[in-house]
Amino acid sequence: MATHELHKFLVYAPDKIDDGTYALRLSVRETHLVNAKQWMAEKFLLVGGAMLTPESLTTPENKKMIGSSFVCQAKNTEEVLEKIKSDVYFTFGVWDPDKIVVVPYVTITPFP
């Protein structure tokens, strides 16, 4: 397998549960979204979004984000981790670094 080949990865990045994390998430969200657009332009980020509390489905007025998940492509896991560590949600302590999961991923359906 060539080392320059890109592989897909599934990333699970839950937020910390500390008081103030949600407010911190909201305060840096615009910067995170700019970063996500850059990742898309670089063809790193394929699809992504925020994870929500279960209550967000039944009471949309109380929608609350509790983390992020996304599918990306990179040469290896280390490259994915490097990108994650450069994001404002990581550097500002929104994502819980001890709970981030990065796994190789193979799709069986096309991306939207």
Side-chain angles (χ1 to χ4, degrees), residues 9-11 13 39 44-45 47-49 68-72 80 84 95:
F9 296 88
L10 176 66
V11 177
W39 284 0
F44 171 73
L45 178 62
V47 63
S68 306
S69 62
F70 56 93
V71 176
C72 60
V80 176
I84 289 169
W95 287 335

Side-chain angles (χ1 to χ4, degrees), residues 41-55:
E42 295 169 359
K43 307 292 189 220
F44 171 73
L45 178 62
L46 302 177
V47 63
M51 297 184 294
L52 304 173
T53 62
E55 298 78 24

Side-chain angles (χ1 to χ4, degrees), residues 85-104:
K85 290 177 181 178
S86 73
D87 188 84
V88 68
Y89 280 174
F90 187 91
T91 61
F92 273 65
V94 174
W95 287 335
D96 187 334
D98 296 329
K99 294 182 181 173
I100 292 174
V101 176
V102 177
V103 293

Side-chain angles (χ1 to χ4, degrees), residues 31-45:
T31 302
H32 169 74
L33 295 175
V34 168
N35 189 46
K37 286 180 184 175
Q38 179 61 37
W39 284 0
M40 288 176 15
E42 295 169 359
K43 307 292 189 220
F44 171 73
L45 178 62

Side-chain angles (χ1 to χ4, degrees), residues 20-82:
T21 299
Y22 189 65
L24 180 59
R25 171 184 261 273
L26 295 179
S27 74
V28 296
R29 187 167 186 259
E30 287 305 316
T31 302
H32 169 74
L33 295 175
V34 168
N35 189 46
K37 286 180 184 175
Q38 179 61 37
W39 284 0
M40 288 176 15
E42 295 169 359
K43 307 292 189 220
F44 171 73
L45 178 62
L46 302 177
V47 63
M51 297 184 294
L52 304 173
T53 62
E55 298 78 24
S56 296
L57 299 177
T58 55
T59 54
E61 65 277 4
N62 295 324
K63 181 173 75 170
K64 184 176 179 189
M65 296 171 279
I66 56 169
S68 306
S69 62
F70 56 93
V71 176
C72 60
Q73 61 182 3
K75 295 176 193 167
N76 51 48
T77 304
E78 292 76 21
E79 186 177 311
V80 176
L81 290 170
E82 183 179 311

Side-chain angles (χ1 to χ4, degrees), residues 6-23:
L6 295 180
H7 306 282
K8 290 181 179 63
F9 296 88
L10 176 66
V11 177
Y12 168 79
D15 291 353
K16 291 180 179 177
I17 58 171
D18 303 340
D19 287 342
T21 299
Y22 189 65

